[in-house]
Amino acid sequence: MSGLNRQSRFERGDDVVVMKFGGTSVEDSAAIRRLIGIVQSRQHHQPVVVVSALAKVTDQLLEAAHAAANGHLGSALATVRNIYVRHEALADSLVTGSAYGSLDRELRDEFRALESLLQDLQTSRHLDLALQDRLLGFGECFSSKLVSEALSEAGIKSAHVDARDCIFTDARHGQASPVWDSTNQRLQDTLSPLLQSARVPVLGGFIASTGDGVPTTLGRGGSDFSAAIVGAALGAARVEIWTDVDGVMTADPKLCADARVIRKMSFEEAAELAHFGAKVLHPATLAPAMRENIPVYVLNARRPEGEGTEISARARTGTSVSAITAKRNVVAVEVASSRGIDSALFNTVFGTFDQHACAVDVMGTSLGRISLLASSTAALPGIAADLQGVADVRWENHRALVCLVGENIRHQPDVARRVFAAVSDMDVRVLCQGASDRTISFLVEESKVEESVQRLHTLFFQKPELVRDWGGISSAFCQAG
Ligand code: ADP
Ligand code: ASP
Ligand code: MG
């Protein structure tokens, strides 16, 4: 992008705030009314709204797709019928008059299209990722139309924008990546005129399309990423992720009741946390924000007055643990070769994983052994067969990766020692402290996730004197009293 383009884009986007509302923040009419209040509170800026599907709808669509592909059309249609009834009831409670009439017609048409896709699927019995993307996308199409009309009804001039006409990706269905230039251009061309005419654009998150119009998705939880993509294209002043917790916390509050809000985090720390399983942010969200230096705020839609978490490029000092996270459903893979590990073996091993489209994280290497993490066992028998005679491939599933994140924690030798001491009675495998300055991670059996996260949380967050010194966690402590 040329300097001139960039400058004019920033002038336009200077006051833009992109607000993303997750599934629970649009789950029922009370939630959508709260959303309306929150958007109203930002009306003196230029809000752009990105919404997820209503809570649970994406899972239900997936369930319906599998049911139809397995020949259970009745069950698939019943699931879709329930989704329709839920949207229809919301339309009825939030929108009136002729606007209700046309929204109702649109919803009916969309549901008919969905039903007919499921009927075809029952005949073909073939659910591939491209068709799955098309089916799952209905959730965000419905929710964004509904929210756009609900905002208009409340007196906020809004405009529904189909994200599939603006966000372009490669064809990696199920987990597509944006094609940045065309996406940025189209988002600017579409959204800027709406903002200039004081309208609030409303887009569905998660959904996109290839350049030739085939629907794709950005991966589960991808609406956060959509918001960051829109924010980066417009040079927004801030991106707000409105969700069901008070901000990014020292641990998942569902795992650890003592978890506290982290007031401020660096982009890098938050990105590590998301990469290592903290569901509160889709792992790809922070890259575009970081590139354009746009602060991201994580806020609670049920408690909009809270300060939430600010994620930005602010300078950091201090070295300590800022959060503990866990990634479940991890497969620990070991590749062993009696001939030792050299670059030729590396090439062969990774080439083979690549051919089988099996994405892996490298945990570490030792004499004659490479330790890897995969998210599924599906491709591993084929990979083991292809590598026969070169290396032995073994794996164990039902593992979880527990990760401590914090600025420079790698340079605090004491942290690893204390972690090991805290979980010394558990079957801990492959401690990894080295790929990044900000993480220390290790594998445990999946059944031990809760216990290990709780023990580490007690160890690193219970005593105020252990709290980091730069205002992040310490202010959370003050707030928590
Ligand atoms: P949304 O539907 O708004 O996108 P998600 O369910 O995707 O919400 O993400 C919010 C959830 O993330 C929270 O309810 C919480 O259980 C989970 N979570 C995991 N790790 C963390 C963490 N470190 N801080 C806050 N929430 C977390
Ligand atoms: N609705 C999608 C999902 O459930 C995307 C999102 O919620 O961010 O994965
Ligand atoms: Mg989410």
Side-chain angles (χ1 to χ4, degrees):
M1 184 172 291
S2 75
L4 213 150
N5 254 342
R6 191 180 160 82
Q7 192 180 4
S8 60
R9 187 167 57 87
F10 270 93
E11 277 164 15
R12 279 205 309 274
D14 234 8
D15 205 27
V16 171
V17 45
V18 179
M19 312 173 73
K20 175 261 169 175
F21 293 86
T24 50
S25 309
V26 289
E27 66 186 344
D28 53 23
S29 65
I32 296 179
R33 285 184 211 283
R34 279 195 298 270
L35 173 155
I36 293 168
I38 295 169
V39 175
Q40 250 154 2
S41 73
R42 302 291 192 270
Q43 258 193 303
H44 51 289
H45 301 285
Q46 293 181 296
V48 177
V49 172
V50 174
V51 290
S52 295
L54 274 50
K56 300 197 177 71
V57 163
T58 311
D59 287 338
Q60 289 164 349
L61 287 168
L62 195 55
E63 198 184 294
H66 284 294
N70 289 322
H72 308 302
L73 184 63
S75 145
L77 294 179
T79 303
V80 163
R81 177 89 205 152
N82 285 338
I83 301 177
Y84 170 71
V85 169
R86 191 169 161 205
H87 284 79
E88 172 57 31
L90 280 179
D92 190 35
S93 80
L94 294 162
V95 186
T96 57
S98 63
Y100 169 74
S102 50
L103 177 62
D104 184 45
R105 265 193 306 281
E106 270 192 78
L107 287 179
R108 273 172 205 272
D109 289 349
E110 293 259 12
F111 274 94
R112 268 193 217 108
L114 176 53
E115 283 175 355
S116 120
L117 277 176
L118 291 171
Q119 272 150 2
D120 293 349
L121 183 53
Q122 127 114 348
T123 311
S124 74
R125 302 284 170 100
H126 180 65
L127 176 63
D128 60 18
L129 286 175
L131 179 55
Q132 186 170 301
D133 274 353
R134 206 162 152 204
L135 290 164
L136 297 195
F138 275 94
E140 271 70 10
C141 290
F142 303 145
S143 64
S144 52
K145 284 182 180 157
L146 184 65
V147 166
S148 176
E149 288 304 332
L151 283 167
S152 297
E153 178 82 20
I156 300 173
K157 280 204 303 177
S158 79
H160 178 255
V161 174
D162 192 332
R164 292 167 303 184
D165 296 336
C166 302
I167 298 182
F168 302 117
T169 65
D170 59 19
R172 207 154 56 95
H173 287 284
Q175 188 88 48
S177 298
V179 176
W180 293 101
D181 283 349
S182 53
T183 297
N184 287 340
Q185 193 62 55
R186 182 63 71 87
L187 281 169
Q188 288 162 22
D189 292 349
T190 309
L191 302 184
S192 297
L194 295 172
L195 292 169
Q196 273 153 18
S197 61
R199 301 231 268 168
V200 177
V202 181
L203 298 89
F206 177 58
I207 53 175
S209 71
T210 61
D212 41 12
V214 179
T216 55
T217 63
L218 301 171
R220 293 303 305 269
S223 299
D224 303 327
F225 188 25
S226 303
I229 294 169
V230 172
L234 297 176
R238 53 197 268 150
V239 171
E240 296 179 346
I241 305 292
W242 290 91
T243 183
D244 61 354
V245 284
D246 280 339
V248 180
M249 305 180 80
T250 49
D252 182 349
K254 290 190 182 104
L255 277 183
C256 188
D258 299 333
R260 297 171 168 86
V261 177
I262 303 172
R263 280 272 159 272
K264 291 174 192 281
M265 300 188 88
S266 67
F267 283 129
E268 291 86 356
E269 269 180 305
E272 298 275 16
L273 204 62
H275 176 76
F276 283 100
K279 193 181 168 224
V280 66
L281 284 172
H282 181 279
T285 308
L286 294 163
M290 205 178 324
R291 201 176 56 229
E292 299 292 344
N293 197 16
I294 301 169
V296 175
Y297 293 81
V298 178
L299 297 150
N300 190 345
R302 293 176 178 152
R303 222 174 56 80
E305 68 284 3
E307 284 176 54
T309 300
E310 177 190 330
I311 303 167
S312 68
R314 73 195 280 274
R316 294 156 317 267
T317 55
T319 51
S320 189
V321 178
S322 60
I324 297 155
T325 185
K327 198 181 213 171
R328 293 169 192 264
N329 294 320
V330 164
V331 185
V333 185
E334 282 209 345
V335 181
S337 164
S338 55
R339 282 179 284 159
I341 306 281
D342 57 16
S343 56
L345 186 86
F346 257 111
N347 283 342
T348 312
V349 167
F350 287 110
T352 309
F353 274 86
D354 214 33
Q355 277 159 21
H356 287 262
C358 180
V360 283
D361 273 343
V362 183
M363 281 295 278
T365 55
S366 59
L367 197 67
R369 209 172 283 271
I370 310 173
S371 302
L372 304 169
L373 296 183
S375 56
S376 146
T377 54
L380 295 175
I383 292 172
D386 286 359
L387 287 174
Q388 210 171 14
V390 179
D392 264 351
V393 181
R394 289 163 202 260
W395 60 91
E396 290 175 332
N397 55 5
H398 306 301
R399 304 281 135 179
L401 186 70
V402 176
C403 180
L404 288 91
V405 178
E407 214 50 64
N408 286 318
I409 57 171
R410 184 183 139 203
H411 298 296
Q412 284 204 309
D414 200 38
V415 174
R417 185 189 61 73
R418 292 169 65 207
V419 169
F420 257 138
V423 292
S424 60
D425 59 329
M426 292 183 187
D427 180 17
V428 169
R429 303 272 173 89
V430 209
L431 180 100
C432 180
Q433 177 185 241
S436 147
D437 282 356
R438 297 181 197 89
T439 60
I440 294 177
S441 48
F442 60 89
L443 281 175
V444 288
E445 282 175 38
E446 200 158 297
S447 60
K448 298 285 183 197
V449 169
E450 210 160 328
E451 195 179 340
S452 45
V453 169
Q454 282 166 1
R455 278 194 205 175
L456 294 175
H457 196 271
T458 305
L459 180 67
F460 287 101
F461 296 104
Q462 205 175 37
K463 296 191 191 134
E465 64 269 22
L466 294 177
V467 170
R468 63 202 288 175
D469 56 353
W470 55 269
I473 302 290
S474 51
S475 60
F477 256 87
C478 296
Q479 195 220 18

